[in-house]
């Protein structure tokens, strides 16, 4: 069952590929926290929404205190849920140039308490959208001239 997922199971996922239509990789990528207990269909149409009880069972089974996840846009760049045990961080400010959200990164220092640093979007270089896709960093610099 999903509640029996271990960190070893997660380490065993073949990650360097396009995500498949279903399976553990998809569940990790697209599942989101919800306030209600249990699981519900995801608003994304893939993955699931999971409640604080599901998160707690995963944390206990893997001797963890905190679940830090990403891949979900948050207005302030992050959100702490499930009584402080589940944190979502999102590092893309003004996602898709239209969401107006902040970005954030999180640090765990010696006390292992999360420290959040938020930041706003900066203006883009004068290049057409996706013009730089597939280019190496060295080729990208030539677009700025």
């Amino acid at each position: 069952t999903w509640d029996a997922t271990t960190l070893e199971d997660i380490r065993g996922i073949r990650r360097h590929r396009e995500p498949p239509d279903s399976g553990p990789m998809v569940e990790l990528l697209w599942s989101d926290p919800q306030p209600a207990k249990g699981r519900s269909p995801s608003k994304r149409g893939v993955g699931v929404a999971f409640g604080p009880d599901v998160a707690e069972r995963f944390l206990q089974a893997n001797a963890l205190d905190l679940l830090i996840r990403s891949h979900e846009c948050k207005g302030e760049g992050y959100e702490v849920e499930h009584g402080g045990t589940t944190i979502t961080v999102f590092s893309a400010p003004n996602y898709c140039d239209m969401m107006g959200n902040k970005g954030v990164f999180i640090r765990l220092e010696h006390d292992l308490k999360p420290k959040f640093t938020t930041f706003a979007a900066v203006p883009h270089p004068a290049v057409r959208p996706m013009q730089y896709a597939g280019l190496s960093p060295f080729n990208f610099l030539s677009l700025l001239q």
Side-chain angles (χ1 to χ4, degrees):
T1 70
W2 288 330
D3 288 349
T5 300
T6 65
L7 294 176
E8 193 60 34
D9 296 330
I10 293 170
R11 287 183 196 104
I13 294 172
R14 192 169 61 97
R15 297 174 298 150
H16 303 287
R17 61 183 175 136
E18 286 295 316
D21 292 332
S22 62
M25 177 188 240
V26 172
E27 299 300 325
L28 284 171
L29 283 172
W30 300 116
S31 293
D32 300 314
Q34 67 179 11
K37 288 184 177 184
R39 291 182 187 78
S40 301
S42 172
K43 63 187 175 195
R44 300 176 189 260
V46 63
V48 298
F50 61 94
D53 55 326
V54 175
E56 185 60 31
R57 284 192 298 270
F58 173 79
L59 293 170
Q60 286 180 356
N62 290 284
L64 299 172
D65 295 324
L66 193 59
L67 172 62
I68 302 174
R69 58 178 296 276
S70 190
H71 232 220
E72 184 181 14
C73 186
K74 297 294 181 181
E76 293 302 310
Y78 71 98
E79 187 171 2
V80 180
E81 299 175 84
H82 298 161
T85 63
T86 302
I87 299 174
T88 299
V89 296
F90 196 73
S91 61
N94 197 25
Y95 184 57
C96 294
D97 289 332
M98 58 194 261
M99 298 302 291
N101 63 290
K102 294 178 185 174
V104 71
F105 64 88
I106 187 172
R107 289 182 20 191
L108 300 174
E109 296 183 353
H110 66 279
D111 61 2
L112 298 181
K113 297 215 185 312
K115 312 269 187 308
F116 302 96
T117 301
T118 60
F119 52 93
V122 296
H124 289 284
V127 296
R128 292 186 330 269
M130 299 306 292
Q131 181 178 354
Y132 55 84
L135 297 177
S136 76
F138 301 107
N139 292 340
F140 176 74
L141 294 176
S142 68
L143 295 175
L144 301 177
Q145 298 175 357

